[in-house]
Amino acid sequence: MPIQILTESVIAQIAAGEVIERPASVAKELIENALDAGASSITIQEEGGGKSMLRISDNGGGIASAEIELAFTRHATSKLNATDDLLHLRTLGFRGEALASIAAVSHVSVTTRQRDETTGIFMHLVGGSILQKRAIGAPAGTIILVENLFFNTPARLKFLKAESTEKRHILNIATRYAMAYPGVRFVVEQDGRETFRAPGTGQLADVLITAFGLDVFRNMVEIERDRYNEITVFGYTTTPDYHRAERSRILTFINGRWIQDTSITYAVTQAYHTFLDKGRYPAAVIMIELPPDEVDVNVHPTKAEVRFRDPNAVFAAVQRAVRRAILAQRTSSSPRISDAPTTLSLQLEQDVTWREDATIAPPRRYHAPLAEASRADETQRPRTLPVLRVVGQVGATYIVAEGPAGLYLIDQNAAHARVLYDAAQNPSISKVLAPYPLDPPQTIDLDNEAFRQIELNLGLLEAIGVKLEVFGPNTFALRALPGMLSDRDPEQIIALALEVVSSTRDEATLKDTLLKQLCELGAVRNGTILPPEDMQQIIRQLERCPTPLVSPLGRPTLLHMSSDQISREFTRRR
Ligand code: ADP
Ligand code: MG
């Protein structure tokens, strides 16, 4: 075949092949353009893995109507004047190739308006040829719709991976730019479904939580901004507890550009020396900032690789920053709760009070014989709760305890009621029902009907420690109360008993119902400041109650917050 000069369209397609390898390359170039245009919100929509449709909308500066054709001309850019500028690049694009390349291998529709123009412009291109161009009303910003990608390059189309792979690549690209630009809102919709959203809060953590998921982010520590020889490194990296077999979760960014660089990845893994086994890798997001003339981004067609003027300095800076982050976490005074439950307790103790000057009104010291609820065979009974350690008391109402599985907030009243009821099941061992004599006895005057109701149940009441004698017409003498009620108001006890006996139809359950009510009444009240021993006493007994989670009348006794939940709550609010 004689030598021939290639036609313009073949040249364009070859050139396009360099930059536009796959649908994700289109997404990458268009996202970069949107970012260069100063967008604060970017929406990426695709169908069919980007082959049938890819639309990027931004609210950036827009393209002037007069320049729209130029924008799609190869080597036309607003970002570079002379080669000198290549040394000071602040923008993501600079070659003026992307739009021309994308247009050469697809159907493109662009709608754009610059903020200060009254009308926008619409242009439609097929295979790089302009088929339509007209003024159009449009919001400020740019919408670029790419359809039928590679329609005229069947070879390229054939080599595309499965739709799901292309989808993943597009999602990854968007996610990475969201990390690099946490101040920009990103939304990704794939086949009509939202698959990613970055809120644009400016906080890298907010992006990482959705990008990696909480389970990974939970294990991350911040790499604090560390400047070393003009090189600033920051980001997030996982603690040595987290590791995986691939290094694909080590992401590197240079001046807001995601790049692949094996030496930086190596620097990160080196920082874990002695912390991670060979072949195990962390997840990390490493942001590197350095003067633009220290890095050449113009060495790779898709700008995915860069060349550093001083690679060793970058390596050292990254390794140092990551190492510091890991070490700081390991010795920190505020490590993650799952690692050091005692730290949580120490922090809580400062806030928790059992001082007499508590602000709860009216604080009462509890003197009733709490310990007497204990049972001789206590340690023989099976555990129903893990061993809990009392940390303190909140609001003179809730016992704060700590266990292997996290934090427990225990309602002292409900828990104590459960403990009393449990002990009452075995009166031969426990003293909760043992009669506590009233000296002198207290007289109780009732109306006819009430007197009769109580009189019918004197035996039953005595069996649970309430000892009443007929003292006169409609009058009882109260001679003893069960131990657990020794400091309660006798009138209130009789009123409660009366209510139970007159409302309970079922004779068989009457005693049990009465007992439940009296245990609830006898339990330490909320608003009572408890000494640590008493709190520990309640907890120790609760740990072996057959049903420790509810009071006799079914009120919850405790709230459990796992270490996971706690750290999740904190990271969510970060
Ligand atoms: P480059 O980004 O290298 O300059 P492109 O082909 O990607 O080249 O874009 C060409 C030009 O079109 C850009 O320099 C810019 O002026 C303009 N442009 C492209 N996309 C946008 C956009 N989303 N918003 C505003 N201007 C844009
Ligand atoms: Mg560009």
Side-chain angles (χ1 to χ4, degrees):
M1 195 158 66
I3 296 175
Q4 289 175 327
I5 291 180
L6 295 172
T7 65
E8 270 304 309
S9 73
V10 174
I11 292 171
Q13 283 175 16
I14 292 170
E18 292 264 297
V19 187
I20 307 303
E21 215 180 332
R22 62 193 324 161
S25 331
V26 178
K28 174 180 186 290
E29 293 296 337
L30 297 181
I31 292 171
E32 287 192 355
N33 282 347
L35 290 167
D36 281 345
S40 63
S41 177
I42 301 174
T43 303
I44 299 117
Q45 296 158 295
E46 65 94 348
E47 275 163 27
K51 262 187 295 178
S52 43
M53 189 281 270
L54 183 66
R55 180 195 280 116
I56 315 279
S57 322
D58 70 60
N59 64 352
I63 305 170
S65 297
E67 294 186 345
I68 190 69
E69 287 188 36
L70 205 53
F72 283 84
T73 307
R74 212 135 44 87
H75 309 307
T77 178
S78 58
K79 302 166 191 175
L80 195 67
N81 269 322
T83 49
D84 236 25
D85 291 352
L86 271 176
L87 291 176
H88 310 288
L89 278 174
R90 293 271 168 206
T91 54
L92 293 164
F94 52 86
R95 295 194 184 118
E97 265 179 347
L99 289 187
S101 297
I102 293 164
V105 292
S106 68
H107 297 196
V108 169
S109 306
V110 54
T111 307
T112 185
R113 179 170 72 81
Q114 275 196 333
R115 251 169 257 285
D116 50 5
E117 288 194 300
T118 44
T119 51
I121 184 106
F122 170 85
M123 192 164 83
H124 182 62
L125 306 92
V126 172
S129 308
I130 297 168
L131 298 193
Q132 252 193 74
K133 184 181 147 185
R134 61 187 151 85
I136 196 172
T142 303
I143 302 165
I144 295 191
L145 169 66
V146 177
E147 291 167 298
N148 310 319
L149 185 63
F150 301 131
F151 78 100
N152 54 357
T153 54
R156 179 67 58 149
L157 200 54
K158 250 216 302 273
F159 281 97
L160 280 189
K161 296 274 187 321
E163 197 176 302
S164 59
T165 311
E166 298 303 331
K167 282 193 181 309
R168 200 181 64 239
H169 279 285
I170 292 170
L171 183 62
N172 282 346
I173 288 285
T175 311
R176 273 146 213 191
Y177 280 104
M179 291 176 192
Y181 291 81
V184 176
R185 189 171 157 274
F186 279 83
V187 177
V188 180
E189 280 175 29
Q190 301 188 284
D191 290 334
R193 205 170 57 84
E194 182 176 305
T195 52
F196 177 72
R197 175 178 290 262
T201 56
Q203 299 296 314
L204 178 54
D206 287 338
V207 183
L208 299 188
I209 287 167
T210 33
F212 285 133
L214 268 172
D215 281 349
V216 175
F217 184 74
R218 227 169 34 77
N219 292 290
M220 289 188 135
V221 285
E222 188 167 3
I223 303 167
E224 300 209 4
R225 245 168 211 282
D226 184 34
R227 199 181 149 95
Y228 183 65
N229 288 343
E230 297 264 298
I231 303 164
T232 302
V233 178
F234 64 98
Y236 281 85
T237 197
T238 45
T239 66
D241 306 337
Y242 173 96
H243 44 80
R244 33 189 274 147
E246 323 82 52
R247 55 198 111 190
S248 58
R249 277 196 174 166
I250 302 175
L251 304 179
T252 316
F253 297 79
I254 307 282
N255 292 346
R257 188 193 301 275
W258 172 64
I259 57 134
Q260 279 158 310
D261 186 297
T262 47
S263 91
I264 294 178
T265 307
Y266 186 59
V268 173
T269 49
Q270 276 297 295
Y272 283 82
H273 186 63
T274 74
F275 289 137
L276 283 188
D277 292 342
K278 246 193 151 57
R280 304 300 297 177
Y281 302 96
V285 172
I286 310 293
M287 300 288 176
I288 303 167
E289 283 174 1
L290 71 183
D293 57 352
E294 288 287 317
V295 55
D296 186 358
V297 290
N298 194 25
V299 293
H300 191 270
T302 65
K303 297 167 263 172
E305 286 167 24
V306 297
R307 193 174 291 142
F308 298 109
R309 207 172 57 78
D310 185 357
N312 291 337
V314 177
F315 185 97
V318 169
Q319 195 188 19
R320 183 181 120 114
V322 175
R323 184 84 180 172
R324 273 166 57 141
I326 311 166
L327 290 176
Q329 183 272 327
R330 292 189 82 81
T331 54
S332 156
S333 56
S334 55
R336 289 170 10 270
I337 288 157
S338 53
D339 287 339
T342 44
T343 307
L344 171 68
S345 330
L346 287 175
Q347 286 168 349
L348 275 174
E349 261 157 8
Q350 291 160 8
D351 296 324
V352 166
T353 178
W354 42 65
R355 297 185 316 250
E356 292 294 9
D357 60 350
T359 49
I360 297 18
R364 300 186 310 124
R365 186 117 193 152
Y366 185 70
H367 291 297
L370 264 189
E372 292 183 8
S374 78
R375 302 166 55 131
D377 63 342
E378 194 174 303
T379 53
Q380 256 81 74
R381 305 168 69 212
R383 273 190 175 283
T384 50
L385 285 178
V387 184
L388 302 180
R389 189 176 78 79
V390 170
V391 170
Q393 191 185 23
V394 172
T397 298
Y398 303 109
I399 300 169
V400 185
E402 172 229 29
L407 177 77
Y408 295 77
L409 269 184
I410 295 133
D411 181 318
Q412 64 190 34
N413 175 258
H416 192 215
R418 165 53 63 190
V419 165
L420 290 175
Y421 178 73
D422 188 57
Q425 304 306 309
N426 205 339
S428 62
I429 296 168
S430 162
K431 292 182 189 152
V432 294
L433 296 185
Y436 177 85
L438 295 185
D439 192 17
Q442 187 167 340
T443 55
I444 310 272
D445 294 313
L446 297 170
D447 64 32
N448 241 329
E449 171 63 14
F451 182 84
R452 235 178 33 81
Q453 291 271 13
I454 293 289
E455 195 180 20
L456 284 173
N457 291 289
L458 284 180
L460 187 147
L461 285 163
E462 187 161 0
I464 56 176
V466 183
K467 195 161 185 235
L468 291 160
E469 270 174 27
V470 179
F471 193 64
N474 293 352
T475 303
F476 291 111
L478 180 60
R479 296 207 169 272
L481 281 172
M484 64 177 181
L485 293 171
S486 57
D487 67 342
R488 293 289 183 263
D489 173 14
E491 304 235 352
Q492 198 190 351
I493 296 166
I494 300 306
L496 183 63
L498 185 60
E499 198 184 302
V500 174
V501 296
S502 57
S503 66
T504 307
R505 297 275 154 265
D506 187 353
E507 286 286 322
T509 61
L510 180 56
K511 185 179 165 199
D512 191 49
T513 307
L514 190 57
L515 187 59
K516 282 179 177 166
Q517 290 283 359
L518 294 182
C519 288
E520 296 267 352
L521 179 65
V524 59
R525 287 187 188 143
N526 291 337
T528 307
I529 293 170
L530 294 176
E533 316 85 76
D534 281 2
M535 290 192 279
Q536 195 63 66
Q537 179 74 36
I538 293 174
I539 299 301
R540 242 199 318 279
Q541 293 170 51
L542 189 67
E543 283 167 17
R544 292 177 194 271
C545 286
T547 51
L549 301 182
V550 286
S551 78
L553 292 181
R555 293 179 299 132
T557 54
L558 60 83
L559 294 179
H560 172 221
M561 233 190 175
S562 70
S563 307
D564 279 4
Q565 273 173 294
I566 296 169
S567 55
R568 207 171 301 157
E569 286 296 313
F570 279 117
T571 51
R572 195 155 65 102
R573 282 158 176 54
R574 195 138 79 204

